[in-house]
């Protein structure tokens, strides 16, 4: 299965969750994430899908690109090493901006958001089939670029994590991700956990409970 197909599977599960009545009923309530409502968290989940639509639209239309000379994509782990939000406190500028954007999307309402996410996903099934995983995706919010396959993996990880956050927020169980989606997400999170805590800490957390660190979070 291609990375694009794996992403589409994760996006389908996310949209299905956005469409559930329990999510709509809890829209204004606090979510499982600090300082975010259920509607704001749903907006953040949907944003991962919308960001793919923006990327493939640019790939399909050269007139929308920043310039004719595409920047060289950076490695996936370098993307996270550079990301402002990953090591920033909850009240940091980048994280506050993410929450504000998410709450703004959520303010449009549950039905509007779910319908827009479903429409985006339907269009992506066609558009991604026309793209190559090696194409360059420029990320204007960061100023650097990734290969399309790497960009889709970042979205898969976000969808996997925040789908669980949203389900927990409304007391719903989540279906397991298919292996084609879960495996690359697991590898990415393990790499990020090792970056943060070191290889020994990760190995001990997985194999030696008596020496396991107190925390092994990836992000």
């Amino acid at each position: 299965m291609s990375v694009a197909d794996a992403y589409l599977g994760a996006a389908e599960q996310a949209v299905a969750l956005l469409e559930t009545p329990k999510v709509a009923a809890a829209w204004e309530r606090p979510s499982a994430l600090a300082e975010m409502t259920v509607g704001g968290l749903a907006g953040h989940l949907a944003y991962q899908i919308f960001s793919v639509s923006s990327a493939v639209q640019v790939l399909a239309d050269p007139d929308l690109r920043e310039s004719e000379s595409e920047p060289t994509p950076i490695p996936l782990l370098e993307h996270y090493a550079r990301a402002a939000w990953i090591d920033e406190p909850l009240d940091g500028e980048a994280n506050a901006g993410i929450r504000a954007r998410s709450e703004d999307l959520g303010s449009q309402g549950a039905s509007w958001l779910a319908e827009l996410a479903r429409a985006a996903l339907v269009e992506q099934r066609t558009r991604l089939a026309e793209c190559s995983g090696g194409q360059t995706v420029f990320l204007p919010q960061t100023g650097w670029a990734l290969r399309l396959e790497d960009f889709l993996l970042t979205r898969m990880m976000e969808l996997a994590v925040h789908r669980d956050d949203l389900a927990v927020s409304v007391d719903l169980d989540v279906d397991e991700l298919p292996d084609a989606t879960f495996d690359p997400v697991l590898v990415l999170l393990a790499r990020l956990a090792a970056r943060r805590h070191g290889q020994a800490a990760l190995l001990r957390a997985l194999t030696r409970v008596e020496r396991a660190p107190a925390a092994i979070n990836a992000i």
Side-chain angles (χ1 to χ4, degrees):
M1 180 182 289
S2 69
V3 174
D5 287 337
Y7 157 77
L8 290 169
E12 174 60 44
Q13 289 183 312
V15 172
L17 179 59
L18 291 171
E19 293 171 335
T20 58
K22 286 191 77 170
V23 170
W27 205 251
E28 302 296 334
R29 299 176 196 165
S31 74
L33 297 188
E35 300 185 22
M36 290 188 79
T37 64
V38 168
L41 179 53
H44 189 55
L45 184 65
Y47 175 78
Q48 312 311 318
I49 298 170
F50 301 152
S51 66
V52 173
S53 289
S54 298
V56 296
Q57 183 179 13
V58 172
L59 290 177
D61 187 351
D63 292 338
L64 295 175
R65 298 180 189 177
E66 294 291 320
S67 67
E68 289 301 317
S69 57
E70 293 182 339
T72 301
I74 66 171
L76 180 58
L77 294 182
E78 177 66 18
H79 165 72
Y80 286 101
R82 294 185 187 185
W85 61 268
I86 197 165
D87 292 318
E88 190 179 69
L90 183 64
D91 58 354
E93 182 179 354
N95 284 321
I98 289 170
R99 290 195 301 275
R101 180 189 62 213
S102 302
E103 294 290 348
D104 184 57
L105 278 172
S107 71
Q108 304 299 315
S111 295
W112 176 87
L113 188 69
E115 290 172 7
L116 193 64
R118 173 62 67 185
L121 178 57
V122 169
E123 184 180 30
Q124 286 171 22
R125 292 189 186 282
T126 298
R127 289 212 169 190
L128 281 172
E130 299 168 349
C131 296
S132 163
Q135 287 182 274
T136 297
V137 174
F138 179 71
L139 309 179
Q141 69 273 24
T142 66
W144 59 79
L146 294 172
R147 295 170 65 252
L148 176 60
E149 284 191 349
D150 287 341
F151 175 67
L152 291 177
L153 179 50
T154 70
R155 299 310 91 189
M156 287 162 55
M157 187 269 279
E158 295 281 346
L159 289 169
V161 170
H162 293 305
R163 183 177 68 110
D164 183 64
D165 290 333
L166 184 57
V168 168
S169 298
V170 298
D171 196 26
L172 281 174
D173 293 330
V174 290
D175 295 332
E176 289 194 349
L177 294 165
D179 289 347
T181 301
F182 181 70
D183 288 353
V185 168
L186 177 62
V187 170
L188 173 58
L189 289 174
R191 290 285 188 184
L192 293 177
R195 166 187 170 269
R196 182 182 291 270
H197 301 282
Q199 290 184 2
L202 179 59
L203 289 170
R204 290 166 186 167
L206 294 173
T207 63
R208 293 291 180 262
V209 65
E210 70 275 12
R211 296 201 300 273
I216 197 64
N217 56 301
I219 55 178

